[in-house]
Amino acid sequence: MNTRPEQNEFPVYYKDYIGLVPEGDIEYNLKHQISETLKQLNDLSEEEGTFKYAPGKWSIKEVIGHITDTERIMAYRMLSIARGEAAELPGFDENEYVAKADFNKVSMDDLLQNLFVVREATLLLFKTLGDPDWKRTGIACGQTVSVRAIAYIIAGHELHHRRILADRYLIGQSVPKSF
């Protein structure tokens, strides 16, 4: 689906994420940006992966784990809504998920591979969606959201965190900034 979602297809708090996504084919954007994100993070050591730019903030490893968890949840929402799920889909507390995951004990290689595999699964899910599926809406966290909007939310969420990584964690490092 190559058209941006309308404002009535997503909660207002996702507007900034969706606004980060470049014009063009969303599938292409998701394929391209994951490789850019992996380039940004691929050469970090285990020690660098546990870096936090301030007390109480997530480490780089925790940010990677969060991006992955969020995409899994969003892809599940996409699948559920596309298949006509009528039940409201639950929200999740991102801070609780990160706290319980203990991502700092997971290797950088495993975290990055996990991120890549989840993205591949999301892209394969796209191949099972027909035109009517992209426009379907459902309820998640008490708000209406479309399948198309969720694809853009996934892309924008990753770009949002890539920007934070570049600006607050990897200062001075040459990083891809194709957003």
Side-chain angles (χ1 to χ4, degrees):
M1 177 57 71
N2 294 324
T3 56
R4 286 187 172 294
E6 301 292 325
Q7 287 192 338
N8 66 344
E9 293 181 52
F10 57 89
V12 68
Y13 48 83
Y14 287 126
K15 183 179 180 184
D16 289 343
Y17 287 166
I18 291 170
L20 290 174
V21 181
E23 294 298 327
D25 181 86
I26 188 64
E27 185 175 356
Y28 172 83
N29 282 331
L30 284 167
K31 281 182 188 176
H32 177 71
Q33 77 183 43
I34 193 64
S35 63
E36 293 295 311
T37 297
L38 292 171
K39 278 186 214 173
Q40 181 186 35
L41 301 168
N42 205 36
D43 292 330
L44 296 179
S45 69
E46 293 299 318
E47 183 180 350
E48 290 168 323
T50 61
F51 172 73
K52 296 179 180 188
Y53 70 89
K57 297 298 182 181
W58 293 340
S59 70
I60 292 172
K61 286 183 169 190
E62 289 169 327
V63 172
I64 297 166
H66 163 70
I67 295 168
T68 306
D69 279 357
T70 300
E71 184 160 339
R72 271 194 177 101
I73 291 164
M74 291 296 176
Y76 171 73
R77 290 176 180 175
M78 183 184 292
L79 170 68
S80 298
I81 294 167
R83 302 298 190 255
E85 180 60 63
E88 181 175 335
L89 300 170
F92 72 103
D93 182 331
E94 62 188 30
N95 291 308
E96 285 296 316
Y97 273 52
V98 169
K100 288 191 172 53
D102 207 5
F103 290 122
N104 287 320
K105 291 186 178 177
V106 181
S107 74
M108 284 294 293
D109 285 344
D110 286 348
L111 287 167
L112 295 175
Q113 182 179 10
N114 201 8
L115 179 61
F116 176 77
V117 168
V118 167
R119 177 56 52 85
E120 288 296 304
T122 299
L123 292 169
L124 287 169
L125 173 60
F126 284 14
K127 296 187 182 316
T128 72
L129 303 176
D131 287 340
D133 297 325
W134 288 98
K135 296 174 186 166
R136 269 198 194 97
T137 61
I139 306 294
C141 305
Q143 303 285 323
T144 299
V145 66
S146 72
V147 170
R148 172 173 59 173
I150 293 170
Y152 278 80
I153 292 165
I154 290 169
H157 181 256
E158 179 187 346
L159 292 171
H160 164 78
H161 283 290
R162 188 187 324 156
R163 179 175 287 163
I164 289 172
L165 286 165
D167 293 346
R168 298 183 190 162
Y169 290 84
L170 306 172
I171 298 165
Q173 181 178 332
S174 174
V175 295
K177 288 199 176 192
S178 61
F179 51 90

